[in-house]
Amino acid sequence: MLDEPRSGRLASWGNALIAGLAAPDDVVPEVLGGDTVHRITGLPGESGPVGLTLGLGRLRALGVKGLRIALPVPGHPLGLSGPPDFNARALAAGEAVIAVGGPPLGLVPEVTEAGPPGYVHVEVEWQCLAVREAPGADVPSLGEAERELAEALRDATTALSRLDVAGSGPAAAAALDAYRARAERGRQVLAPGYPPRAVRVLELAQRVGALIAIASVEHGAAVSASEIAARAELLRPVERTARRAQVAAYNAYVEEEERRG
């Protein structure tokens, strides 16, 4: 969870483009992140893969008013509403984007990587598929997410201290330094149009996710299999809370528009 999900970047900046709050030339590099190219395939009215600008424009022409995300894991179909085929694909990818308004459509990324370390060429093809029109599973409100995250951050910090990750060697120290640099660096975590509370919740979710990532690697004080299992059990509910908060933050634009409309 140290990195932004591709679905989050696509939904956030796709929402800004659909709403006319950001130009295509600004949206595309934000969605790409460090990837080489993104395409969308299976869109109604298109015979083959299309680029992001044309694909998002096609969705807007179809009547799509916004985009929300799902971040499912086995046993927790967070943000999904079906059908089973779409859910299975999204679960395999670990994420998906669902259109709001217009025809019931969802997008699931298929990622291809090639090249040596340091020169990896990453292509993403978003498969456009039919979805069920229903609320996403287990998505909290922003208020709920913020309250849960405050508790989760305390739990993650306590777990990190209990597992002695900070004092376990140079690998852990480097991870902690990277986390602190990320937390302190000013950056735009969401596209224009999102409420300030969504930005705050997403930043906090990313902080919690960073702590989980650090505590999850096997360079802490726990060395036995039983201790590693106990560590995973301790962090599992914290990770779940952080994922739920990420979904709530990225979906906040659509929720705001629905309240207004």
Side-chain angles (χ1 to χ4, degrees), residues 92-189:
E95 60 183 320
V97 173
I98 295 94
V100 177
L105 299 171
L107 304 169
V108 178
E110 292 186 359
V111 182
T112 303
E113 297 183 358
Y119 298 93
V120 177
H121 180 95
V122 181
E123 294 190 3
V124 180
E125 188 165 287
W126 294 88
Q127 301 289 328
C128 184
L129 304 161
V131 298
R132 182 179 297 145
E133 291 187 90
D138 198 35
V139 179
S141 68
L142 272 177
E144 291 172 330
E146 194 167 31
R147 288 191 298 272
E148 292 172 0
L149 273 173
E151 298 177 5
L153 183 58
R154 288 194 297 269
D155 291 344
T157 303
T158 300
L160 206 60
S161 299
R162 186 183 305 171
L163 299 170
D164 193 29
V165 172
S168 61
L176 284 168
D177 287 343
Y179 160 66
R180 293 189 184 105
R182 181 182 178 90
E184 293 169 2
R185 185 171 64 246
R187 60 194 177 93
Q188 186 172 14
V189 297

Side-chain angles (χ1 to χ4, degrees), residues 4-254:
E4 296 170 299
R6 290 183 172 91
S7 56
R9 297 200 305 267
L10 179 60
S12 173
W13 288 94
N15 283 332
L17 179 63
I18 290 169
L21 299 174
D25 288 348
D26 296 325
V27 167
V28 171
E30 293 288 351
V31 176
L32 288 178
D35 299 335
T36 307
V37 65
H38 283 215
R39 300 183 184 89
I40 304 176
T41 189
L43 277 169
E46 298 294 341
S47 59
V50 299
L52 283 172
T53 301
L54 180 56
L56 290 170
R58 170 63 68 183
L59 289 173
R60 180 167 55 184
L62 289 168
V64 171
K65 304 299 183 184
L67 302 170
R68 57 183 178 87
I69 78 165
L71 296 177
V73 296
H76 189 208
L78 176 62
L80 297 176
S81 59
D85 177 61
F86 182 82
N87 285 6
R89 289 172 180 254
L91 181 60
E95 60 183 320
V97 173
I98 295 94
V100 177
L105 299 171
L107 304 169
V108 178
E110 292 186 359
V111 182
T112 303
E113 297 183 358
Y119 298 93
V120 177
H121 180 95
V122 181
E123 294 190 3
V124 180
E125 188 165 287
W126 294 88
Q127 301 289 328
C128 184
L129 304 161
V131 298
R132 182 179 297 145
E133 291 187 90
D138 198 35
V139 179
S141 68
L142 272 177
E144 291 172 330
E146 194 167 31
R147 288 191 298 272
E148 292 172 0
L149 273 173
E151 298 177 5
L153 183 58
R154 288 194 297 269
D155 291 344
T157 303
T158 300
L160 206 60
S161 299
R162 186 183 305 171
L163 299 170
D164 193 29
V165 172
S168 61
L176 284 168
D177 287 343
Y179 160 66
R180 293 189 184 105
R182 181 182 178 90
E184 293 169 2
R185 185 171 64 246
R187 60 194 177 93
Q188 186 172 14
V189 297
L190 287 169
Y194 276 81
R197 191 175 201 179
V199 175
R200 186 166 66 245
V201 167
L202 183 57
E203 287 177 332
L204 185 54
Q206 290 173 342
R207 288 176 60 195
V208 172
L211 288 170
I212 293 168
I214 293 166
S216 296
V217 296
E218 297 184 13
H219 55 227
V223 292
S224 70
S226 62
E227 288 171 329
I228 292 170
R231 173 191 300 189
E233 185 67 24
L234 182 66
L235 293 174
R236 189 173 295 114
V238 185
E239 185 276 336
R240 183 186 182 103
T241 297
R243 261 190 314 109
R244 291 178 77 235
Q246 276 194 304
V247 172
Y250 282 116
N251 293 358
Y253 173 84
V254 170

